[in-house]
Amino acid sequence: MKSLLMIMDGIGDIRDGNRPTPLEAARKPNIDRLAKEGSLGLMHTLGRGVKPGSDTAHLAIFGYDIFSEYPGRGPFEALGTEGIHLMPGDIAFRANFATVDKKMKITDRRAGRIESASAKKLEKYINGMEIEKTKVIFKQTTEHRGVLVLRGDRLSGRVSDTDPHETGAMIKSSEHLDTSAEAKKTARIMNILTNEVHKKLSNAPENLERIKKGLHPANMILCRGGGEYFKVEKFEDRHGIKAACVAGGSLYKGVAAFIGMDVVHVSGATGDRYSDYFSKARAAVQASKDHDLVFLHVKAGDSFGHDGDHDGKKSTIEKVDKDIIPMVSDNFDLIVITADHSTPCMIKGHSGHPVPILAYGKLVRKDGCVNFNEYEAAKGSIGQIVGEDLMQLMLNWMDKNNKIGE
Ligand SMILES: [Zn+2]
């Protein structure tokens, strides 16, 4: 029994007056055929009314406890970045190149939208630094973005961001968030790092050249989402099934790597609106040959939601319907389509509205629903579930769950 879990990031929405949601407005005959043959419901990923982050929502859906098994955003980004191999105890941050003036005020949060190739050349000034016997690992990922890892003894993820999250603000000093010696040491290292990195980047020939050309120098890195990496029980040990991940974005690959899923590399899966869905579908089918479950992530709907772009969100759904569904519906016995959270165009951000869920397969009851959208899903026979119910339901639809008692 091969099963597919497709998560359409942020796809849930709400009607804006009389305007239907993107799921209601989209022409999606293939998805709706699955809806007709299967059943629908609503999922409150982290609980009723709770506004989820993408990282915690995915963890909950995969059956992990977000209070004791969530390492923070930084470790996920690092785990999803090629060439970085985390060790337990490492502290990882998301980082981006930025421009600061002489008073350390941020004048551009993305260093003049520095392109990937130029940003890559600055990696060497940071990667390999050593502060208080702690090794600094830094990798540029895309454009101004990167990942920073601290590796050493007695460190803690309980430190605040150096990123003030707004242009025109001063860079922040990292503060310890508890009174442990580890947190104090880590905050101290981060503050030394901020100063050292600024010095090195300010003098880097690449940046002097940028100034000459009238470009913003990438003379600082802003760090956020710090957390300590630790190991958790593998997905296969927890649920008794082997899983693979097909995703473009590093966060999603990182969550999958964290729980021990096999992460499939797909060229063309970029994690943005230009992602090649056809290749992703093909990779999912390929991965199903030696895995019981394939997690397929589609990011674009969420990005369009953040932009308030209703048409963009609608076209993402239509593209999924055309490029992904025909191929997967011929090759999987169980298909579940849902989202990690809603990103309503009206809100331009995540919200606590439950997401629709569709299940299609031989062991799924047909419930008479015909259209996969938020409003029809409220009438479906799956009812209203929370994120942590999903794996149990899927195991049942796969007939892979254990009997309780005799
Ligand atoms: Zn998300």
Side-chain angles (χ1 to χ4, degrees), residues 122 125 199-210 218:
L122 298 170
Y125 297 107
K199 267 188 237 160
K200 287 186 176 213
L201 291 179
S202 298
N203 295 322
E206 292 88 345
N207 269 328
L208 300 176
E209 193 62 31
R210 285 180 73 79

Side-chain angles (χ1 to χ4, degrees), residues 14-293:
I14 43 184
R15 286 181 192 150
D16 188 354
N18 290 326
R19 186 175 72 175
T21 67
L23 272 174
E24 288 180 298
R27 219 195 134 264
K28 46 176 177 42
N30 297 312
I31 294 176
D32 289 338
R33 185 180 61 79
L34 301 183
K36 263 175 230 148
E37 302 282 317
S39 58
L40 302 186
L42 286 174
M43 177 164 70
H44 305 259
T45 342
L46 298 187
R48 282 168 198 259
V50 179
K51 186 191 291 191
S54 290
D55 48 6
T56 47
H58 277 79
L59 259 195
I61 289 170
F62 295 137
Y64 287 77
D65 175 28
I66 60 160
F67 296 104
S68 63
E69 297 178 303
Y70 173 60
R73 178 78 181 242
F76 286 152
E77 291 285 344
L79 287 164
T81 300
E82 237 171 284
I84 291 192
H85 303 283
L86 288 187
M87 288 161 56
D90 283 354
I91 312 299
F93 296 82
R94 305 170 78 190
N96 48 295
F97 283 109
T99 308
V100 294
D101 66 11
K102 286 200 176 72
K103 290 181 179 149
M104 301 289 252
K105 195 171 90 180
I106 294 158
T107 54
D108 195 314
R109 278 183 50 79
R110 302 185 183 100
R113 288 212 167 251
I114 188 167
E115 65 280 21
S116 287
S118 307
K120 193 91 205 153
K121 286 184 187 149
L122 298 170
E123 200 181 79
K124 60 178 181 283
Y125 297 107
I126 308 167
N127 187 39
M129 286 172 72
E130 208 176 289
I131 302 167
E132 297 193 16
K133 293 187 180 152
T134 296
K135 196 177 163 203
V136 177
I137 300 162
F138 178 79
K139 242 187 149 52
Q140 181 268 352
T141 52
T142 53
E143 296 161 335
H144 56 283
R145 301 178 198 91
V147 169
L148 181 99
V149 178
L150 300 180
R151 178 169 295 164
D153 288 339
R154 299 178 65 84
L155 299 172
S156 165
R158 301 277 300 141
V159 294
S160 66
D161 300 349
T162 61
D163 185 352
H165 299 271
E166 56 177 322
T167 310
M170 309 293 285
I171 184 147
K172 281 186 157 177
S173 66
S174 179
E175 308 286 345
H176 51 93
L177 299 175
D178 62 36
T179 55
S180 67
E182 287 84 355
K184 286 178 183 168
K185 176 182 172 186
T186 309
R188 192 169 65 234
I189 289 173
M190 286 306 288
N191 294 327
I192 296 170
L193 178 111
T194 297
N195 284 321
E196 292 290 311
V197 164
H198 179 54
K199 267 188 237 160
K200 287 186 176 213
L201 291 179
S202 298
N203 295 322
E206 292 88 345
N207 269 328
L208 300 176
E209 193 62 31
R210 285 180 73 79
I211 295 170
K212 249 193 229 166
K213 288 185 187 160
L215 299 169
H216 285 275
N219 59 6
M220 182 53 90
I221 54 165
L222 309 176
C223 298
R224 62 190 190 282
E228 178 178 343
Y229 171 63
F230 53 86
K231 285 201 161 156
V232 290
E233 185 185 25
K234 284 191 162 192
F235 184 88
E236 188 175 354
D237 296 332
R238 183 159 298 188
H239 300 298
I241 53 172
K242 210 165 143 43
C245 157
V246 175
S250 53
L251 172 64
Y252 311 95
K253 291 192 265 191
V255 174
F258 181 65
I259 60 175
M261 281 186 183
D262 291 328
V263 179
V264 177
H265 176 75
V266 186
S267 63
T270 51
D272 62 18
R273 54 198 66 177
Y274 308 109
S275 200
D276 176 356
Y277 292 176
F278 198 71
S279 297
K280 281 171 99 167
R282 208 166 33 209
V285 171
Q286 187 64 31
S288 73
K289 298 204 163 85
D290 44 8
H291 296 87
D292 307 297
L293 171 83

Side-chain angles (χ1 to χ4, degrees), residues 9-10 53-55 58 252 297 299 302 340-341 343 350:
D9 208 296
S54 290
D55 48 6
H58 277 79
Y252 311 95
H297 183 262
K299 173 71 184 168
D302 177 60
D340 51 347
H341 52 79
T343 309
H350 297 188

